[in-house]
Every structure is written in structure tokens, then in C-alpha cells.
Amino acid sequence: MLCIYLLRRGSGADAVYANPGTERPLVLASIIATLLGVILGAALGACAGFFGGLMVANLTDMSCFEGACAYFALFVGLAGLVVGAVAGGVLAVWRVNRRKLKPAA
């Protein structure tokens, strides 16, 4: 339904998709943005996940016998790392490609 709504007549989408006089950003720009997005997203996701795991372990009075609370926080941090890396890469590519397209010279 969203695709039908976005591509309806009079939405202006035909000017973006059917105008041969526009050019896309360089592939190199997309690759660099993706790498930076993955790295930054992974770092932020790991920090947020580790902090969230520590908070959950403290709020639930999780046993720290043999490091159980630290293992829990570590695994939540790893999950945050993966989610952050994927989200950062997708967001970076989206941000690079959503720029207003310049007319081809």
C-alpha cells in the first residue's frame, strides 16, 4: 500500500525515476558511507547494548556468581553491535542516496 501511495499520479515520483538528466552519487561515496555507517553504528550499538545489559542485570538483581551478570551484559552488547552495524550501514546508504539529484552536465 505504501508503494502504491508513493508512486501515485501527481506525487512527483515520476520526475525522480523517469528523468534521464539526473545522476546518482558516486559508488565510492556509497561504499565509504556504508563503511563509516557500519563502524559507527556498531560502536554505538555495542555501547548502548552493554549499558542496557548492565542496567537490566542490576534492575533484576541478577546473580553475579561466576560472572553471570557480566556475561549477560556482554551478550546483550554483542546483539547491540550487530543491530547497530546493520542499521548504521542501511542508514548511511539511505542518507547518501536521498540527496537532491543534480542535473547531469
Side-chain angles (χ1 to χ4, degrees):
M1 295 301 286
L2 179 65
C3 289
I4 293 171
Y5 175 75
L6 290 175
L7 296 175
R8 71 187 188 287
R9 288 188 189 152
S11 67
D14 53 346
V16 173
Y17 294 111
N19 189 358
T22 58
E23 64 182 39
R24 298 186 53 79
L26 295 174
V27 174
L28 183 63
S30 293
I31 291 171
I32 291 172
T34 303
L35 290 175
L36 288 174
V38 166
I39 292 168
L40 290 174
L44 289 174
C47 290
F50 187 68
F51 182 73
L54 284 175
M55 290 297 108
V56 169
N58 284 334
L59 290 174
T60 60
D61 293 327
M62 186 177 291
S63 170
C64 286
F65 180 71
E66 293 184 354
C69 57
Y71 280 119
F72 175 76
L74 178 72
F75 287 129
V76 173
L78 288 176
L81 182 134
V82 171
V83 170
V86 171
V90 169
L91 182 66
V93 169
W94 176 74
R95 294 268 306 165
V96 167
N97 289 321
R98 80 173 183 88
R99 292 184 295 177
K100 188 74 171 168
L101 299 175
K102 294 181 255 180

